[in-house]
Amino acid sequence: MHERRIEKPKSEDSEQRQSQNSRSPVDSQTHSLLDSSTRRLLSDWWYVVPALVVMAGVGAPMGYLALRALEAEAAELGAIVFRVRNLRLLGNSWLPAC
Amino acid sequence: MLTASALIAVPLAWLTTRADIRGRRFFALLGVLPLAVPGYVMAYALLGATGPRGALAELGVGWPPLSGYTGALLALTFSTFPYLFLNLRAALAGLDPALEEAGRALGFGPWQAFRRITLPQLRPAFLAGGLLIGLHVLGDFGVVSLMRFETFSYALYLQYAVSYEGVYAAWLALMLLALTASVLVVEARLLRGLLYHRAGSGARRQKRPVRLGAWRWVAYGFLVLVGLASVGLPVGTVLFWAGNHAPDWAGLAEALGASVSASAPAAVLAAALALPLTYRSVRRPTAASRLMERAAYFGYALPPLAFALALIFFSLRVTPAFYQTLGLLVVAYALHFLAEAIGPVRSALYQAPPHLEEAARSMGRSRLRAFGEVTLPLLRRGLLVSIAFVFLSAMKELPLTFLLAPPGFETLALGTWSYAREALFGQAAPYALLTMAFAAAFVGVLLAQEREEG
């Protein structure tokens, strides 16, 4: 009896294995890692783009705020941080919270 | 604040879950309604009701003017105690009555059983409600600025808008952030290792209402007093001043239009950002996707004034064309309220079976098309609730609007605040009334959503 053979579609793994065989072991490992991560990033653009928007939208301004705070010179910095007013503000902010 | 809130919320939660009083549902609703009164409207109401020119004086009930610490404490307590009340009510409703009965069998009196058995069981609810109140109070700007009580938020505003001292303002914002972070850390530490679930076999029994006897009248007096102070006073004061002053319809319509033009796109943007983030963390949860969802909550926990200041500095340096534009305000709203958009989308996603999408894909649909044709229609309601949450929150948002709005852009919240700050209570009344209407709609959506889920 003639047996029908169903050709399976090439999976991502088999494609990776083929491309790895044509390179040196170290190169092929690096190449496949880069390939798969880039491929994953590109295929997940619908998630990566909003994630980046949120991360950058919240993180970057807050990071810049810290940089802006450090713009003061060392002597000025001490005067700003150790103001008596700051202690009063700390007390006033805690008091209603407690 | 926490102590004052607990003094209101604990008896209110106990009476509406355990006592044999009539109208428990009504009084429970009365405990939630103050959420419809934003803090700055409550502060406006207290200022407009007291003092020699206040509404109470006009009614013949003289009351000394409230401002400073006392005024801020009262306004913040009345507008935030529902956060604690809701948590405590849920915890009390889920408590096993057998625990208290065991204590009574061992010789405890009713008060002793409550103090030594029930109260410790409410610890997680206290911590959850306390965290919300703490974050709210630390980030508050409207109440403390109207009451002229200098906290970090108010000092930050004075330093940036009045003294133009940018570096010190940045330091104040960082100190405020550190304070907020310390509240989060303390709450997480106190919650660690707490286990209060039922360990025995069988199911929890139904609770029998506690008979109050003659004390019932004291309970009714307390409930009416809480309702009058937290809902009656602000609504009554606003209506009193609204009745005494002809509204400027053109200005009101302009403010309403401005509020909607900023809040509506922000709500859509927040829902659009929440959808992919939530989809990924629900359908394919990884450490990275969970981290991304947490980043959304981080934006919500940030004190609004500190976030606004950071956006101003950043946009001035990196994108100057974006500074003082409606676009920046919309983005700020969307990022700040993103956490509110995530909840309803997540609930809807949990209810949408993933097999349907998988079936569509097995029939040859691409991933995007399968999602659009099968899952998206199932998420429509969750998305609408997300949009409603963010829209209504943004409509009453004050600190972000205050620092980021384009010049001459006056929203309802800004109108209420700026008139109340000049003691023009009559002019502020219609703005406050409309703001309260939107806040009440927010509470309505929240309650409807909870009823649906519960």
Side-chain angles (χ1 to χ4, degrees), chain B residues 2 80 83-85 87 124-134 187:
Chain B
L2 268 180
T80 58
Y83 294 121
L84 190 58
F85 165 69
N87 277 292
F126 267 115
L127 289 172
L131 175 72
L132 285 174
I133 290 177
E187 198 257 357

Side-chain angles (χ1 to χ4, degrees), chain B residues 353-439:
Chain B
H355 319 297
L356 295 177
E357 207 175 317
E358 285 161 14
R361 290 207 65 193
S362 73
M363 291 166 82
R365 299 282 194 280
S366 69
R367 188 160 57 183
L368 207 62
R369 214 171 146 198
F371 172 79
E373 286 178 4
V374 177
T375 309
L376 196 59
L378 297 173
L379 303 181
R380 198 186 302 144
R381 202 177 169 280
L383 279 168
L384 283 176
V385 175
S386 287
I387 290 172
F389 272 161
V390 178
F391 174 74
L392 294 168
S393 292
M395 286 294 284
K396 57 190 173 80
E397 168 59 28
L398 177 68
L400 286 175
T401 322
F402 185 71
L403 283 192
L404 296 173
F409 189 84
E410 192 176 82
T411 62
L412 291 173
L414 278 180
T416 310
W417 184 84
S418 50
Y419 281 127
R421 193 166 163 78
E422 302 298 325
L424 299 170
F425 300 119
Q427 280 94 326
Y431 292 87
L433 207 59
L434 261 180
T435 310
M436 275 202 293
F438 280 107

